[in-house]
Amino acid sequence: VQTDEDFRPNFHFTPEKNWMNDPNGMFYLNGTYHLYFQYYPDKNVWGPMHWGHATSKDMITWEEQEIALYPDEKGYIFSGSAVVDKNNTSGFGKDGKTPVVAIFTYHDPEGEKNEEIDYQSQAIAYSLDEGITWTKYEGNPVLPNPGIKDFRDPKVTWDDIHKQWLMVLATTEKTIFYSSQNLKEWTKISEFGENTGAHDGVWECPDFFPMKVEGTNETKWVLIQSLNPGGYNGGSGTQYFVGDFDGKTFTPEENMKALEEKHNFWIDFGRDNYAGVTWANIPEDDGRKLFIGWMSNWLYAQEVPTETWRSAMTVARELKLIKDKDQYLVTSAPVEELKKYRTVDYLIEKFNISGNSVALDKEDIDLARAEIRFKINDLKETTYNFRLANAVGEEFIVSYDHAKRQFSMNRSHAGQTDFSDKFASEIATAPRISDSDSLSAIILLDKTSIEMFFDDGKTVITEIFFPNQPWDEFSFASLEDFTVSNLEAYELEFNEVE
Ligand code: FRU
């Protein structure tokens, strides 16, 4: 049986101690990536929310910092964002120091207890030392509650096209858009969300930004909109919409105007990527859209079998907007920075599979910190299995059924599951978005998670598990013989980080 530290990931951020949920306030400044997060420092379950803080030079190895924001008499500090206010539009700058401004939700637990509806409002704080210490603005809240019960998770971006600060806010079943010139006064400009998308839960944690369509000069706007419950596999999930924005109103593409509950536009189809948003202030000459999500699900997050801390973040990912035939799609891939941690490699050009064939075992690669890439050409109308197994007979199976164009993930025998009847009782599924007849995969394995990027990130699946022994075997299986080409596996090494 594994102890807590055996479950602590090698290259995914976890707080040293206690409870974490959503990523918050991510920004980049002077060589450092900042990540804040919903944090309860006193217990390993959700409680009065703070913003914890971590920093990194490459979004892969993180250093936890002092708590950034504490709850106060106005309430808990719920999710939100941060921006680097280069032109000092807020007036918080002093002595030539650039203010970083955090925009968050105050959640008043008293109001909630008394069954009021206006207990969430938006507030700001600023930092003059690059995100280490923060001063809450004395004029808070900057956006009082207008009489809406779920009114939270402000994500602010500088809209350089229309020269305004934009805030998207999640409100039960809609995204509300606001604009501002100074981050203090906000004007409502529009709403989005009626009659489209998944609505089997409360909308939370939106994000909104323009993106260049890969290989073109076309710009489209992307709205990311998490919801809980009502994700693709139930519980927490993150859908997205692509469209146009005229500075006031977001108009989705024709094929996204009337999406049904179980549509195919999800940042991740797995059960464990929630509330993810993008980094602010990435330099123009970098230009990437960088994303991180919370690698858990509200269905069971508070019961997972770690006591010291609870939850990890996903690997940081680069989002791209592509046009595939007539469809706009947001794809993801692990950030390039991960590659510099590759050590041992294992490369096979062609690997013939007959029945069940072990492709990698613990002599080849430590599967507790591995990157695996492969391709299967000339797909047949059959089911392909990718399987992780360990010495105590546990297994995690991903299947791809090419007749149904569907992936499925079975973690019911992947180790500890009895902490929650919601964890492994169902087989999760994901549609294959690409219609190519070859399947490519990038798979990241850490001790308690698998992140799978199929077809250049068109179908992404993130799942967690708690095996009682480390995985020591990765195999392929199918009823028909087939060939895996370009199998590459890398062991990732994180000990000697300068
Ligand atoms: C999403 C969420 C947010 C909220 C935060 C509270 O997981 O429910 O809507 O701000 O968590 O911790």
Side-chain angles (χ1 to χ4, degrees), residues 218-470:
E218 190 185 19
T219 296
K220 287 279 170 186
W221 288 73
V222 174
L223 174 68
I224 288 181
Q225 185 58 78
S226 283
L227 87 158
N228 179 66
Y232 192 82
N233 282 295
S236 315
T238 302
Q239 60 188 327
Y240 68 86
F241 304 88
V242 181
D244 296 308
F245 182 64
D246 61 8
K248 284 203 156 72
T249 306
F250 173 62
T251 309
E253 289 301 299
E254 218 37 65
N255 68 335
M256 292 187 172
K257 274 195 174 141
L259 294 178
E260 306 282 324
E261 288 297 327
K262 202 148 179 154
H263 59 81
N264 283 344
F265 301 96
W266 297 82
I267 289 287
D268 196 311
F269 290 92
R271 285 173 280 205
D272 296 294
N273 180 355
Y274 190 57
V277 288
T278 60
W279 257 274
N281 204 43
I282 298 301
E284 241 167 78
D285 61 356
D286 177 325
R288 289 180 296 173
K289 267 289 152 206
L290 300 166
F291 169 100
I292 203 165
W294 174 47
M295 200 155 55
S296 198
N297 189 312
W298 282 114
L299 286 176
Y300 44 74
Q302 302 190 81
E303 283 110 57
V304 298
T306 59
E307 295 298 321
T308 320
W309 83 95
R310 277 219 176 92
S311 308
M313 293 298 176
T314 65
V315 78
R317 301 171 181 191
E318 179 180 358
L319 304 183
K320 285 188 175 159
L321 180 62
I322 63 164
K323 195 167 182 183
D324 193 31
K325 312 221 162 63
D326 279 335
Q327 195 136 294
Y328 294 97
L329 294 174
V330 176
T331 65
S332 331
V335 292
E336 284 292 312
E337 284 84 341
L338 188 63
K339 288 188 179 158
K340 71 173 205 257
Y341 293 94
R342 289 173 173 178
T343 52
V344 181
D345 55 24
Y346 183 88
L347 311 171
I348 312 181
E349 239 170 79
K350 273 201 163 57
F351 187 62
N352 294 319
I353 312 295
S354 183
N356 184 73
S357 307
V358 176
L360 298 161
D361 65 24
K362 61 170 184 270
E363 311 300 316
D364 304 318
I365 289 286
D366 180 354
L367 291 168
R369 44 191 175 93
E371 173 187 348
I372 303 171
R373 297 180 175 235
F374 61 83
K375 200 163 178 187
I376 301 170
N377 293 319
D378 307 317
L379 291 165
K380 299 172 200 153
E381 304 275 301
T382 186
T383 297
Y384 298 83
N385 289 324
F386 316 120
R387 177 171 170 269
L388 288 165
N390 65 11
V392 288
E394 294 165 347
E395 60 180 12
F396 176 80
I397 302 174
V398 183
S399 307
Y400 172 59
D401 178 340
H402 190 55
K404 285 199 199 145
R405 306 290 195 272
Q406 191 182 59
F407 296 93
S408 47
M409 285 67 68
N410 186 343
R411 62 184 175 192
S412 61
H413 299 288
Q416 299 183 29
T417 57
D418 58 2
F419 53 88
S420 161
D421 57 10
K422 305 218 172 66
F423 184 70
S425 49
E426 308 269 326
I427 291 180
T429 64
R432 178 149 185 248
I433 302 298
S434 166
D435 60 6
S436 160
D437 64 2
S438 55
L439 175 76
S440 72
I442 302 174
I443 296 179
L444 300 183
L445 288 174
D446 204 340
K447 292 178 194 168
T448 43
S449 65
I450 183 166
E451 293 166 281
M452 298 176 272
F453 304 83
F454 290 107
D455 302 311
D456 299 315
K458 289 181 195 165
T459 299
V460 179
I461 302 166
T462 302
E463 297 258 308
I464 58 173
F465 37 53
F466 300 91
N468 287 302
Q469 289 287 311

Side-chain angles (χ1 to χ4, degrees), residues 21-22 38 46 49 78-79 152-153 204-205 274-275 294 298:
N21 54 289
D22 316 355
Q38 287 288 279
W46 192 88
M49 285 289 110
F78 268 24
S79 284
R152 59 178 180 267
D153 308 337
E204 300 182 318
C205 299
Y274 190 57
W294 174 47
W298 282 114

Side-chain angles (χ1 to χ4, degrees), residues 52-273:
H53 183 202
T55 54
S56 173
K57 294 290 173 201
D58 61 5
M59 296 170 286
I60 302 294
T61 46
W62 292 96
E63 219 175 292
E64 194 169 348
Q65 306 289 346
E66 297 294 308
I67 290 174
L69 292 169
Y70 286 80
D72 58 45
E73 69 292 342
K74 293 197 178 74
Y76 302 167
I77 314 293
F78 268 24
S79 284
S81 50
V83 293
V84 178
D85 184 15
K86 281 181 221 155
N87 297 323
N88 195 21
T89 63
S90 61
F92 290 136
K94 238 207 296 213
D95 309 326
K97 283 189 200 139
T98 299
V100 183
V101 180
I103 309 93
F104 59 88
T105 297
Y106 263 129
H107 171 95
D108 170 16
E110 289 306 313
E112 185 184 30
K113 225 178 278 160
N114 300 334
E115 291 179 22
E116 289 157 17
I117 53 169
D118 60 352
Y119 55 85
Q120 295 182 336
S121 59
Q122 319 319 318
I124 58 180
Y126 61 93
S127 171
L128 296 177
D129 57 4
E130 305 195 1
I132 305 299
T133 61
W134 295 83
T135 308
K136 287 171 186 150
Y137 174 49
E138 70 277 7
N140 282 335
V142 291
L143 183 53
N145 189 298
I148 301 175
K149 186 160 167 279
D150 295 290
F151 186 69
R152 59 178 180 267
D153 308 337
K155 179 72 164 84
V156 174
T157 343
W158 173 250
D159 167 7
D160 200 45
I161 302 170
H162 310 98
K163 308 291 175 207
Q164 58 184 342
W165 293 109
L166 274 178
M167 179 200 291
V168 277
L169 205 64
T171 62
T172 317
E173 79 297 356
K174 282 188 286 213
T175 319
I176 306 191
F177 294 68
Y178 296 83
S179 83
S180 174
Q181 288 303 325
N182 58 12
L183 298 166
K184 291 172 176 162
E185 292 148 304
W186 293 93
T187 310
K188 178 172 167 179
I189 50 176
S190 61
E191 293 183 351
F192 169 79
E194 235 175 303
N195 305 322
T196 187
H199 278 282
D200 209 6
V202 173
W203 281 20
E204 300 182 318
C205 299
D207 194 356
F208 186 59
F209 44 82
M211 279 184 100
K212 272 258 154 68
V213 181
E214 284 296 300
T216 75
N217 269 323
E218 190 185 19
T219 296
K220 287 279 170 186
W221 288 73
V222 174
L223 174 68
I224 288 181
Q225 185 58 78
S226 283
L227 87 158
N228 179 66
Y232 192 82
N233 282 295
S236 315
T238 302
Q239 60 188 327
Y240 68 86
F241 304 88
V242 181
D244 296 308
F245 182 64
D246 61 8
K248 284 203 156 72
T249 306
F250 173 62
T251 309
E253 289 301 299
E254 218 37 65
N255 68 335
M256 292 187 172
K257 274 195 174 141
L259 294 178
E260 306 282 324
E261 288 297 327
K262 202 148 179 154
H263 59 81
N264 283 344
F265 301 96
W266 297 82
I267 289 287
D268 196 311
F269 290 92
R271 285 173 280 205
D272 296 294
N273 180 355

